[in-house]
Structures are given as C-alpha cells and as structure tokens.
Amino acid sequence: MKRAFVTSITLLLVASGSLVVGQNTRFSDPDTVIKNEFWGNLYANGGSSFFCNAPFTSKGFLLTDGYVYPLADIRSALDCGTSRQCEQDNRYRQIASDLHNMVPVKTRTEMQRRNVRYENLGETIKTDDCGIRESAGFFEPPAAVKGDVARTVAYMVDTYGLPWLGATPVFQGWSAMDPPDDTELTRHRRVAEIQGNENPFVTQPDRIKRL
C-alpha cells in the first residue's frame, strides 16, 4: 500500500514537472521580466549583442531587448487586438515574458527586423557589417546564429502553437548547419534556471526534424 502511494506521488510529480518544463509558467509581466530578469539578471554583467556579436557591459541607448519571434507576430497570431489590448491578454503576457525568446539586439538591427520573414537570400544580396542579409521583407541572420534562431522559432511554434515565420525546411537546415555551441548552451542553462523550463530544441537539436 505504501509503495503504491509513493509510486502515485512520484508519477504526479513527474507529470507536474513536465508541465512546468513545457513552457514559461513562472512569468507573465513582460515589463518586469525585461527589467528584473533580462537586463537585471541574465545580462547583469553584460554580454554580446545577438546578431552582431558586439560586446557590451551595460544596456546603453544603442541596445534594446529584442525578440527572435517578434512580438508583433505574436499579437497577430493571437488576434488579441492592438498592442495595448494585447497587454491585457493573459496568454499574450505569458508568451511575451518568455526569456527563451528574448535577446539583446542593437536598436538599429531590431528596427530592420520589423514585419520580416526569415529566409535564405543567397550571395547575390550583400551582407551588412553584422553579416545580415535583408531584402523585400525577408531577413537572413548571420551564419553564427542561424541555428539559435531556428531553435528559438521552433520552440515558440511547438510550445505556444504559433505559426512559422518562414519555411519550415529553412529553419531545419539552419539548425543542422549551426548546432548549439557553448555560448548558446550556457545562455540556455541560465534561462532555464531563471524561468524554470528548457527549450527542448537546444537540448535535443534533432527534434526540429519532427516538426
């Protein structure tokens, strides 16, 4: 009887844990998360901007909190109304508070990325000083972070039921060509510690092939 009780409790804890691991359930106030957890914790000692790999010691006016899966696209997918209306939507607030999707980005770069889709643009399009290609509403990140982008987008699609921001094979190809490196894995561990859940596409990169 005691063994059955312990087994039941164990199964319950495992099931509960899997729910927590699946998505952000800890935070639902984007502004507070950005201030306290993103800049105040994750990047409290500085770091490097995501697309350009430019080192920084503090936020400064040239940097902003960016989103690999842009907030405008999240609002569109949820159909929660204007920016202000969506801020009152609990589901939007939870998704917008997910640290796995937040990265430090040069303000100029973040403005370039509005209303674009991820794509392979080819060598006919010249890269900028960060290695970014952009053309006619399409955005190709530098090779060094293509896998990071792919695994983050896959996480947002799989976790929150959001649509892909480009062709699925593009992201699968980027993930294969740019597997998780020490920088991505270290950041992932820190986010998981702070937020309480993992991105399974970082810990199991081949999982993206099944989407």
Side-chain angles (χ1 to χ4, degrees), residues 44-174:
N45 298 317
S48 295
S49 64
F50 182 66
F51 293 106
C52 297
N53 196 32
F56 64 88
T57 55
S58 59
K59 182 176 181 279
F61 68 92
L62 295 178
L63 276 178
T64 188
D65 33 279
Y67 300 81
V68 177
Y69 198 112
L71 295 184
D73 292 292
I74 295 173
R75 290 192 292 267
S76 177
L78 296 182
D79 194 23
C80 52
T82 64
S83 299
R84 181 158 296 184
Q85 289 171 330
C86 285
E87 289 171 1
Q88 308 305 313
D89 183 284
N90 290 334
R91 181 64 170 155
Y92 172 79
R93 290 169 61 82
Q94 179 195 22
I95 298 173
S97 299
D98 198 313
L99 287 165
H100 284 296
N101 188 42
M102 296 182 191
V103 288
V105 180
K106 284 187 175 182
T107 304
R108 185 191 65 181
T109 303
E110 188 65 4
M111 292 179 67
Q112 285 178 260
R113 297 176 56 244
R114 291 178 179 175
N115 302 315
V116 299
R117 290 294 177 267
Y118 292 112
E119 182 59 276
N120 285 315
L121 293 175
E123 296 183 3
T124 57
I125 306 297
K126 292 183 179 180
T127 61
D128 67 8
D129 55 354
C130 291
I132 294 168
R133 288 188 174 95
E134 184 186 6
S135 177
F138 292 100
F139 182 93
E140 181 180 350
V145 295
K146 282 183 174 178
D148 307 54
V149 168
R151 288 180 284 275
T152 301
V153 172
Y155 165 81
M156 298 298 285
V157 169
D158 187 59
T159 303
Y160 298 111
L162 300 173
W164 288 97
L165 297 179
T168 308
V170 168
F171 296 106
Q172 292 170 330
W174 288 356

